[in-house]
Amino acid sequence: MRPGWACRPHAHPLPTFTSGARIVIPNQTYVSPTERRRRFRARLKTGRTIWVPGVYDGLSARLAEQAGAEAIILAGFAVSASLLGEADAEIYTMTEVRSILRHMVNVTTVPVMADGDNGFGNALSVIRTVQEYEAAGATSITIEDQAAPKRCPMIIARPALVPFAEAVGKIKAAVDARRDPETVIVARTDSLDLNEAIDRACAYVEAGADVIKPIWDDIDSLEKSRKLLQACQRPLSISIVEYIEEKFTIEQMEEVAAIATVPVGPITAVAKTLQQTFDTILQKKYLSRSDIARMPVKDFKKVIGFEQIEAYERQYLPPE
């Protein structure tokens, strides 16, 4: 306070606030992004497959953790479908994904894997993508070698890839861009040719990638993964989609996958339930006249943290 100055008396009495420790979500403690990254790396070293469900917003992230997920993944397919209602053709922006990622990190304590697509441009764009995702709390960031605009393998049979040297440069840029050395860089190759995939994966490893993510779509996927794993000597991340479940056992997938992500299943299940729910509302009006499974409102309030909000109100709002 400057000499000669004095505080004026308050026109109104100050409210009395309840003292107490920092309030957190019930049964949940804060875990920093760096600590999540350390835990994720330590878990990878155990050699046991990490099964990672795909999420797309704060609610799905909460529910996945509450179900016991060790980690969750924000996948581009689900983002495009849920946020835009559009097919995965990279028509969303990096900042839109970053915003969703930040919400997920804020309401969870588990590692959050993030899909960085092709970095949303060249190596310079990769640098910004990695640093923005990292600042938002991502545990791992996946950068792929598809040409822009990227196309989901579920949409196009053979996506175009950027040239070899450019792809390696983008992975090197991702590795060098991270400010936290614990951040995990996942290098994805969409090459369907085994020899090319091995060449690219080994070069990505040499550039500093921590995990390799191949994308296969044929009956030889398992054998290709075995050969790729042997060649690159890095953990593999495998996306579990319908054709994988139809052709290979869980044991076979766990043989090659250090990380088994399920990016599409959760949102397609939600879409089916929503479709049935809306049909019922329009046809029968009352949902109670259907057999659609619903969470009681009192339970849903707990899921989304009403207890925390009420605690905040008691702590910080003046009594009425």
Side-chain angles (χ1 to χ4, degrees), residues 25-26 28 58-64 66 107 295-307:
I25 298 172
Q28 178 172 307
L59 175 60
S60 58
R62 275 184 185 265
L63 289 168
Q66 291 173 9
V107 298
M295 183 181 294
V297 173
K298 62 181 179 63
D299 293 339
F300 186 67
K301 288 172 64 177
K302 291 181 180 179
V303 166
I304 60 176
F306 259 83
E307 293 178 21

Side-chain angles (χ1 to χ4, degrees), residues 12-271:
H12 303 283
L14 290 174
T16 301
F17 295 101
T18 304
S19 62
R22 177 180 178 273
I23 299 175
V24 296
I25 298 172
N27 301 318
Q28 178 172 307
T29 53
Y30 174 72
V31 178
S32 72
T34 292
E35 178 58 27
R36 298 187 207 207
R37 294 161 189 156
R38 288 173 180 162
R39 291 182 182 181
F40 190 70
R41 285 181 175 273
R43 178 64 176 78
L44 272 176
K45 290 179 180 178
T46 66
R48 293 180 288 107
T49 302
I50 310 172
W51 285 84
V52 184
V55 294
Y56 48 88
D57 60 9
L59 175 60
S60 58
R62 275 184 185 265
L63 289 168
E65 179 173 16
Q66 291 173 9
E70 295 183 80
I72 55 180
I73 184 167
L74 172 58
F77 183 100
V79 168
S80 192
S82 62
L83 181 65
L84 305 180
E86 298 280 2
D88 183 11
E90 203 180 49
I91 54 179
Y92 48 81
T93 65
M94 181 273 288
T95 52
E96 286 176 322
V97 180
R98 179 195 60 191
S99 177
I100 298 170
L101 172 62
R102 184 179 294 116
H103 293 319
M104 291 180 176
V105 172
N106 284 343
V107 298
T108 61
T109 65
V110 295
V112 182
M113 304 179 70
D115 189 350
D117 290 336
N118 55 18
F120 300 91
N122 61 18
L124 301 181
S125 299
V126 168
I127 291 171
R128 185 179 179 218
T129 297
V130 167
Q131 292 180 347
E132 292 284 355
Y133 278 25
E134 191 178 52
T139 298
S140 74
I141 303 165
T142 301
I143 300 295
E144 64 194 50
D145 55 14
Q146 273 201 40
K150 67 147 291 179
R151 303 296 299 277
C152 175
M154 297 179 69
I155 297 174
I156 186 169
R158 188 173 290 272
L161 308 184
V162 297
F164 183 89
E166 181 181 351
V168 175
K170 292 174 78 169
I171 299 303
K172 179 62 174 171
V175 171
D176 292 346
R178 59 186 174 189
R179 295 183 170 118
D180 183 351
E182 300 293 341
T183 300
V184 175
I185 300 299
V186 180
R188 167 176 152 176
T189 180
D190 282 48
S191 174
L192 300 179
D193 179 79
L194 176 60
N195 291 329
E196 182 185 25
I198 287 175
D199 288 344
R200 285 178 175 255
C202 290
Y204 301 160
V205 168
E206 189 173 346
D210 301 293
V211 175
I212 296 297
K213 184 178 183 67
I215 298 295
W216 314 117
D217 65 351
D218 53 42
I219 193 65
D220 296 325
S221 296
L222 181 62
E223 189 58 32
K224 283 182 175 180
S225 295
R226 287 173 176 150
K227 291 178 179 178
L228 180 64
L229 180 61
Q230 183 178 13
C232 73
Q233 294 295 301
R234 282 292 187 278
L236 298 187
S237 176
I238 306 292
S239 290
I240 307 300
V241 292
E242 286 183 358
Y243 87 88
I244 290 287
E245 293 190 10
E246 292 169 358
K247 290 181 170 63
F248 307 110
T249 66
I250 294 172
E251 292 74 20
Q252 286 174 320
M253 279 298 101
E254 290 187 335
E255 174 193 339
V256 294
I259 305 167
T261 65
V262 188
V264 178
I267 195 166
T268 56
V270 169

